Amino acid sequence: MLGSLNTRVMLEYLPAIWQGFLSTLMLSAAGFAGALALGIVACALSIQPLRWLRLSATAYVDAIRATPLLAQLYFLYFGLPRLGVVLPEALIGVVALSLNSGAYVAEIIRSGILAISRGQVEAAISSGMTYLQRMRLIILPQALRPTISPLIGQAIVLVKDSSLLSLISVVELTRAGQMIAIDRFMPVEGLVATALAYLLLYYLLKLVAGAWSHQNRLPGPA
Amino acid sequence: MFWLQLNRVVGYWPVLLKGLGMTVALSVLALLIGSVIGFALGILRAGPNRTLSRAVGLYVDFFRGTPFLLQVFIVFFILPQVGIELSAFTAGVVALSNVAGCFIGEIVAAGIQSVPAGQKEAAAASGFTRAQQMRLIVLPQAVRVVTPSLVGQFVLLIKDSSVVSAIGLLDLTRSGWMIVQNVPNGLLVFGIVGLGYFVICYPLIWLSRRMERRGQAPVL
């Protein structure tokens, strides 16, 4: 099968694939930035004392985790015009990606903060540290360090999830591949080229994750 | 207006129910087949044969590194070119089982590696064959470790099954897509679709969380 791959067509469509690649990159970056912001807010809400705010953060996380991204995407795509909000498809896609990943980011950061043992805080207090010093020197460094690897993992998921935006006619990598498939009736070339581009992103992010965890190996039992 | 539309959507309950049935059927089939693939891949991945382990790693990476939507297209559009004609349902089951197998394989491999080497050495010293060591000593311990992750994986599988609607399979998401063409209220229609997924997925998420909190799988 691969022997009969028409590389000439793949090269001819390279600019289109490249455009799709850049588009996927930008959609994912925007989506991830939104997810980080939403995740931090949702996490902060879920560990503060007001009960109804805590419950609303939990409701958000659970509603997102228990439903598929595609249904969330259609919810916004078919639902927003109903509320009189007319947005370009790409923006709807970014909002859906941010809302979706934000819930997972919230869970990741939350588990990082909850993993700090009470003794650390008590030791910092008895060493005479102020609240800000404790936060800056003891709690946040320990809480955030173990979240980096899972966050990169979530970024990988988000890049792959962004392919669903092709279903609401946003032109990105998957859509670019489909165009080759349809234009030339050559599904193999289009899909293989697209798959290779995604794999490139996947290995890049994996490399970053690996380098990070290698550099920051925690002492003691992992 | 809202009640009228709600009435109309509810009038489509046979379509919604059919979609829900398709989603459940797809997910359960893919879970069963995917578990078999996953355990096979996991055992090979954690096994002593390095070449085989690397090859499995590469295969798994391909499917973990590309979007599931693309994989569905590959199964549905490329396999026919090499003479394998699949119906949309079969293509969906194949793609979903395969990706589930890849993710479960990595979980199982990690579970096997988490079993202390002394367990295997003790089994070997007691005269167990390699297959017996795996079946009687290593796997039972590994399964206990990985069960919460496997439940979490099943939730992902149910959600991923929505993607096969892209090749025209009438699952829960697709049924919503069809209804929204007639009842133009996306919030209502996909709110109901989301509720359908929530009812299936939330108990599983709850179960997986509870197991993780206990630090081990409950005796089922």
Side-chain angles (χ1 to χ4, degrees):
Chain A
M1 178 184 93
L2 287 175
S4 66
L5 210 60
N6 189 336
T7 44
R8 197 179 56 77
V9 170
M10 283 170 78
L11 282 178
E12 190 185 315
Y13 278 87
L14 203 59
I17 296 282
W18 175 243
Q19 283 300 317
F21 182 80
L22 288 182
S23 173
T24 285
L25 212 58
M26 278 187 309
L27 290 168
S28 307
F32 197 64
L36 279 180
L38 260 174
I40 289 169
V41 171
C43 171
L45 288 182
S46 73
I47 55 177
Q48 52 76 50
L50 272 180
R51 191 179 145 81
W52 64 273
L53 275 179
R54 228 171 35 224
L55 282 180
S56 57
T58 314
Y60 159 65
V61 170
D62 283 348
I64 294 289
R65 283 185 27 140
T67 53
L69 172 62
L70 187 57
Q72 294 158 14
L73 192 62
Y74 283 155
F75 180 78
L76 294 177
Y77 180 67
F78 291 111
L80 284 182
R82 178 88 201 147
L83 299 175
V85 184
V86 180
L87 299 174
E89 285 91 355
L91 194 56
I92 294 179
V94 169
V95 170
L97 285 177
S98 297
L99 277 174
N100 183 269
S101 274
Y104 296 91
V105 169
E107 289 276 276
I108 291 169
I109 299 178
R110 197 176 121 92
S111 68
I113 289 177
L114 293 185
I116 296 173
S117 71
R118 187 87 200 121
Q120 293 281 329
V121 182
E122 285 162 3
I125 293 174
S126 49
S127 311
M129 285 186 170
T130 65
Y131 174 77
L132 280 181
Q133 281 175 325
R134 291 202 303 267
M135 226 14 163
R136 186 166 60 85
L137 299 170
I138 307 293
I139 299 177
L140 283 183
Q142 293 190 75
L144 296 185
R145 217 147 64 137
T147 64
I148 300 292
S149 292
L151 282 178
I152 298 175
Q154 186 56 38
I156 292 177
V157 171
L158 193 145
V159 168
K160 293 189 291 170
D161 277 351
S162 74
S163 71
L164 291 187
L165 303 198
S166 68
L167 296 177
I168 58 167
S169 63
V170 175
V171 178
E172 38 67 78
L173 200 43
T174 303
R175 190 78 178 172
Q178 271 183 306
M179 281 173 174
I180 304 182
I182 295 164
D183 274 9
R184 288 297 186 93
F185 210 68
M186 287 185 170
V188 184
E189 280 75 5
L191 295 177
V192 168
T194 311
L196 290 178
Y198 277 113
L199 281 179
L200 183 71
L201 270 179
Y202 171 68
Y203 279 115
L204 274 178
L205 284 171
K206 249 184 110 167
L207 214 66
V208 174
W212 199 91
S213 67
H214 186 75
Q215 215 174 47
N216 293 276
R217 194 161 292 158
L218 296 173
Chain B
M1 189 64 188
F2 174 80
W3 293 111
L4 192 71
Q5 283 184 329
L6 184 64
N7 228 348
R8 283 187 64 195
V9 175
V10 170
Y12 280 104
W13 68 269
V15 184
L16 283 168
L17 208 61
K18 223 174 139 185
L20 187 70
M22 177 61 89
T23 290
V24 170
L26 266 172
S27 311
V28 171
L29 261 178
L31 177 74
L32 294 177
I33 304 172
S35 298
V36 174
I37 298 174
F39 271 88
L41 289 179
I43 290 169
L44 291 179
R45 183 89 173 101
N49 187 333
R50 297 203 74 156
T51 332
L52 212 55
S53 171
R54 289 253 170 83
V56 169
L58 218 61
Y59 179 81
V60 167
D61 259 357
F62 180 83
F63 290 101
R64 282 166 57 111
T66 52
F68 181 57
L69 178 62
L70 197 64
Q71 296 167 24
V72 172
F73 285 151
I74 288 179
V75 170
F76 196 55
F77 294 115
I78 295 190
L79 287 189
Q81 301 238 326
V82 291
I84 307 172
E85 291 280 350
L86 298 176
S87 69
F89 180 74
T90 321
V93 171
V94 167
L96 205 55
S97 309
N98 179 58
V99 80
C102 287
F103 278 93
I104 293 173
E106 288 294 281
I107 294 172
V108 169
I112 289 175
Q113 274 152 2
S114 78
V115 176
Q119 293 285 325
K120 233 175 149 178
E121 286 160 13
S126 314
F128 284 46
T129 64
R130 289 265 288 273
Q132 282 175 328
Q133 289 168 30
M134 187 50 91
R135 188 166 56 87
L136 299 170
I137 308 295
V138 178
L139 273 187
Q141 300 185 59
V143 165
R144 280 178 72 90
V145 176
V146 302
T147 309
S149 311
L150 285 182
V151 177
Q153 196 54 47
F154 187 38
V155 176
L156 290 185
L157 192 61
I158 295 170
K159 291 191 285 175
D160 273 348
S161 77
S162 68
V163 172
V164 299
S165 64
I167 52 172
L169 213 52
L170 198 120
D171 73 329
L172 189 51
T173 302
R174 185 76 179 176
S175 67
W177 188 89
M178 282 174 66
I179 293 169
V180 89
Q181 314 291 330
N182 295 313
V183 187
N185 187 341
L187 298 179
L188 180 64
V189 172
F190 282 98
I192 292 174
V193 166
L195 202 65
Y197 280 106
F198 190 86
V199 167
I200 315 176
C201 291
Y202 191 71
L204 290 168
I205 293 177
W206 182 83
L207 182 69
S208 141
R209 264 189 204 150
R210 211 184 68 146
M211 285 183 194
E212 263 164 24
R213 208 169 298 146
R214 296 227 171 142
Q216 59 179 21
V219 185
L220 288 171

